[in-house]
């Protein structure tokens, strides 16, 4: 039976790639002093309606919502709203600031599946709460950069913009509506809806006609209030100081309603069409909007499927995480029992061991050891059982040693260290 459209299985040959990436992510979180938060996979629907925004594509068309015993619940389409809800619920805002949190796990959006776009996908996200300092905006962006370059990714493009605050947005909204009122009827259906509810999002429309029609529309970046302007230019100063190349994109608005000031996306083009692997920005009003005290926030999320696709497209070598220290080859039940004792002991000492469970021929067992690239093979055939001396073969050098049974464990441990 097929898995549902837009979902996929990660088979054992692929999981080690995921583990490698996840390991790197946790390592970088540690270096930057981010702590992990785990929230439920589903939340009350209201959280996303209020947090992500009623007019967004996510809330309008992409949520997996179900009702159970009169509760309307939704599989989380993203992690920011849930993180902020948990921060408010557990009063984490009362702890020393800034809070630096991260999460990694499945998200759900009912989108049209294609390469790098799934209905169940995995995000790694960061959220920093409790500071408006522009250096943290830059740090969040730089985090993604350092992680990507550590993973061996090249040719990334960073777009940044400022989407201002409610004050500058109010003035800009009027200007936008004035400027677009004459061409409204030529805009796409989605933009027509956005016109009333959130005209800023029209700038972000991917439809070529809308792009062309709005090329002279007033860009918010040119109408920022003094505070937002100052904040934006300081963020750029930090990025320049850290030599992070960026492109200022006045059309970058992002598809979630909570953003204020800094908005950014990191793209990579080898998956096909320029694909966004990381998107984020500041959200200074969200905590308050969800019922907490006024607390500024900023974060990003990286789509791990897209990250992996980009690494594969760029032919980045991903080291395999699986290894086999020892393979135990035995012939017959008595030899197998003895091998089982060594296997038990060596696993207790932390080694990774495989043995035969199919009573196969010695040749077949050695082949299996080869396939697993085992470093050492212990061999106990009939002669070895009689003389109580095992053969230990170093598979890298092909050297063989005869080792008395009682010394096998120590010999292996000495050889591996
Ligand atoms: P977003 O731009 O909606 O932002 O998603 C972030 C990333 O998740 C995207 O750049 C992409 O890599 C990945 N992604 C999104 N949808 C899909 C999909 N259907 N299939 C595969 N990958 C996907 C957010 O979710 C915000 N919560 C980010 C954030 C955190 N902003 C502030 N803090």
């Amino acid at each position: 039976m097929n898995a549902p459209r837009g979902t996929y299985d990660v088979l054992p040959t692929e999981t080690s790639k995921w583990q490698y990436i996840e390991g790197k992510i946790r390592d970088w979180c540690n270096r930057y002093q981010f702590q992990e938060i785990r929230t439920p996979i589903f939340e009350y629907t209201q959280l996303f309606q209020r947090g992500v925004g009623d007019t967004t594509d996510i809330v309008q068309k992409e949520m997996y919502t179900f009702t159970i015993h009169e509760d309307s619940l939704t599989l989380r389409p993203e992690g920011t709203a849930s993180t902020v809800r948990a921060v408010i619920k557990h009063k984490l805002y009362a702890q020393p600031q800034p809070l630096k949190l991260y999460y990694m796990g499945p998200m759900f959006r009912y989108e049209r599946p294609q390469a790098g776009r799934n209905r169940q996908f995995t995000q790694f996200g960061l959220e920093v709460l409790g500071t408006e300092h522009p250096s943290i905006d830059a740090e969040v962006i730089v985090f993604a950069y350092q992680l990507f370059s550590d993973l061996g990714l090249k040719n990334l493009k960073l777009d940044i913009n400022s989407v201002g605050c409610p004050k500058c947005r109010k003035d800009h909204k009027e200007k936008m509506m004035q400027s677009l009122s004459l061409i409204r009827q030529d805009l796409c259906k989605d933009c027509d809806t956005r016109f009333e509810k959130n005209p800023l999002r029209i700038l972000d429309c991917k439809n070529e006609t809308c792009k062309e029609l709005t090329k002279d529309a007033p860009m918010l970046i040119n109408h920022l209030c003094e505070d937002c302007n100052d904040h934006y230019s300081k963020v750029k100063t930090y990025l320049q100081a850290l030599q992070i190349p960026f492109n200022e994109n006045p059309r970058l608005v992002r598809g979630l309603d909570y953003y204020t000031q800094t908005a950014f996306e990191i793209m990579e083009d080898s998956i096909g069409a320029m694909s966004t692997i990381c998107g984020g920005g500041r959200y200074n009003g969200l905590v308050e909007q969800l019922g907490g005290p006024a607390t500024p926030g900023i974060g990003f999320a990286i789509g791990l499927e897209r990250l992996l696709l980009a690494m594969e497209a760029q032919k980045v070598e991903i080291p395999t995480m699986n290894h086999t220290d020892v393979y135990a080859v035995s012939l017959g039940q008595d030899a197998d029992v003895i091998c089982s004792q060594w296997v038990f002991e060596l696993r207790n000492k932390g080694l990774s061991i495989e043995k035969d469970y199919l009573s196969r021929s010695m040749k077949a067992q050695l082949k299996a050891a080869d396939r697993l690239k085992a470093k050492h093979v212990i061999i106990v055939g009939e002669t070895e059982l009689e003389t109580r001396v095992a053969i230990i073969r170093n598979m890298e050098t092909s050297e063989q040693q005869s080792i008395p049974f009682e010394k096998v464990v120590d010999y292996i441990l000495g050889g591996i260290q």
Side-chain angles (χ1 to χ4, degrees):
M1 204 192 291
N2 288 331
R5 213 162 107 75
T7 70
Y8 59 92
D9 301 304
V10 184
L11 300 179
T13 42
E14 293 293 301
T15 36
S16 76
K17 295 181 187 168
W18 283 85
Q19 286 164 358
Y20 170 72
I21 293 174
E22 287 157 9
K24 286 278 186 196
I25 287 172
R26 291 189 197 282
D27 179 27
W28 278 102
C29 284
N30 200 26
R31 296 190 205 188
Y32 271 82
Q33 305 240 318
F34 277 83
Q35 290 184 310
E36 187 177 5
I37 184 161
R38 299 187 185 195
T39 61
I41 300 282
F42 57 86
E43 298 272 358
Y44 288 119
T45 304
Q46 229 192 12
L47 173 68
F48 303 116
Q49 287 167 334
R50 281 169 55 192
V52 175
D54 256 340
T55 62
T56 59
D57 285 355
I58 295 180
V59 171
Q60 295 253 311
K61 358 182 201 183
E62 295 170 3
M63 295 211 298
Y64 281 87
T65 296
F66 55 99
T67 304
I68 190 152
H69 298 300
E70 293 169 20
D71 282 338
S72 177
L73 302 169
T74 293
L75 299 183
R76 61 180 186 191
E78 60 103 51
T80 311
S82 310
T83 303
V84 168
R85 181 203 50 68
V87 165
I88 298 169
K89 158 94 179 28
H90 301 284
K91 297 195 172 58
L92 297 189
Y93 50 74
Q95 291 182 3
Q97 309 280 306
L99 285 173
K100 293 164 86 178
L101 304 169
Y102 83 93
Y103 49 85
M104 195 151 40
M107 307 289 161
F108 305 84
R109 295 185 195 174
Y110 188 79
E111 293 198 76
R112 195 141 43 87
Q114 61 178 56
R117 199 202 284 147
N118 310 285
R119 289 179 175 168
Q120 176 176 332
F121 59 99
T122 317
Q123 275 188 350
F124 152 57
L126 288 185
E127 313 293 351
V128 182
L129 290 138
T131 173
E132 283 185 82
H133 202 289
S135 79
I136 199 77
D137 299 48
E139 254 202 30
V140 162
I141 296 171
V142 176
F143 183 117
Y145 246 82
Q146 287 194 286
L147 171 67
F148 290 149
S149 63
D150 188 23
L151 287 169
L153 269 186
K154 296 191 181 72
N155 305 330
L156 299 171
K157 183 168 166 262
L158 163 65
D159 273 9
I160 62 165
N161 192 22
S162 173
V163 293
C165 64
K167 201 169 84 194
C168 28
R169 239 184 275 176
K170 190 166 163 273
D171 295 344
H172 173 259
K173 185 174 174 179
E174 281 161 24
K175 292 194 178 77
M176 271 290 273
M177 287 174 97
Q178 256 174 21
S179 142
L180 299 182
S181 58
L182 293 175
I183 50 143
R184 182 176 175 178
Q185 67 280 3
D186 302 319
L187 295 170
C188 73
K189 211 170 116 254
D190 284 345
C191 284
D192 186 56
T193 319
R194 288 172 188 145
F195 187 88
E196 297 291 347
K197 295 189 172 151
N198 189 359
L200 185 60
R201 292 253 10 245
I202 297 177
L203 296 179
D204 199 28
C205 183
K206 304 289 176 276
N207 181 307
E208 287 304 325
T209 318
C210 296
K211 271 193 204 167
E212 179 60 28
L213 285 168
T214 56
K215 70 177 192 308
D216 298 324
M219 297 292 158
L220 178 53
I221 195 76
N222 302 323
H223 298 86
L224 293 179
C225 67
E226 215 181 304
D227 284 352
C228 290
N229 218 355
D230 182 52
H231 185 268
Y232 183 57
S233 69
K234 285 184 176 145
V235 173
K236 287 189 287 181
T237 305
Y238 279 102
L239 290 176
Q240 277 153 354
L242 297 169
Q243 300 190 332
I244 305 295
F246 58 84
N247 168 50
E248 291 184 66
N249 177 359
R251 282 181 178 267
L252 178 68
V253 173
R254 311 256 314 122
L256 301 97
D257 276 355
Y258 46 63
Y259 290 112
T260 54
Q261 298 186 332
T262 311
F264 65 94
E265 287 186 346
I266 301 177
M267 287 149 289
E268 199 277 349
D269 67 356
S270 50
I271 308 174
M274 200 54 146
S275 166
T276 307
I277 28 183
C278 172
R282 189 162 267 293
Y283 47 86
N284 289 346
L286 184 60
V287 180
E288 214 173 354
Q289 199 179 314
L290 292 178
T295 309
I298 179 160
F300 70 58
I302 295 174
L304 297 194
E305 289 77 8
R306 288 189 196 175
L307 174 59
L308 192 56
L309 277 176
M311 288 171 72
E312 284 172 349
Q314 291 195 14
K315 304 207 169 11
V316 172
E317 198 135 329
I318 304 177
T320 56
M321 306 291 279
N322 303 332
H323 73 282
T324 308
D325 291 314
V326 177
Y327 192 101
V329 171
S330 62
L331 275 188
Q333 159 92 11
D334 292 346
D336 190 45
V337 169
I338 288 168
C339 279
S340 295
Q341 291 172 322
W342 296 331
V343 166
F344 175 86
E345 239 180 281
L346 288 168
R347 282 182 182 147
N348 255 349
K349 298 284 183 200
L351 267 52
S352 172
I353 323 268
E354 188 56 293
K355 68 183 277 292
D356 177 69
Y357 303 97
L358 298 165
S359 308
R360 285 177 293 194
S361 69
M362 192 163 289
K363 202 171 148 205
Q365 291 185 46
L366 284 168
K367 226 172 163 180
D370 243 358
R371 204 173 44 240
L372 291 171
K373 298 196 175 66
K375 288 186 201 135
H376 289 83
V377 171
I378 306 175
I379 303 169
V380 184
E382 280 163 19
T383 325
E384 288 76 31
L385 194 61
E386 250 170 53
T387 55
R388 301 191 61 77
V389 173
I391 294 171
I392 297 182
R393 185 184 294 172
N394 180 325
M395 297 296 270
E396 275 153 25
T397 61
S398 295
E399 260 176 66
Q400 288 203 160
Q401 294 286 341
S402 298
I403 305 293
F405 278 8
E406 63 280 6
K407 297 202 168 133
V408 165
V409 169
D410 285 343
Y411 179 83
I412 295 274
L413 287 174
I416 297 280
Q417 280 143 18

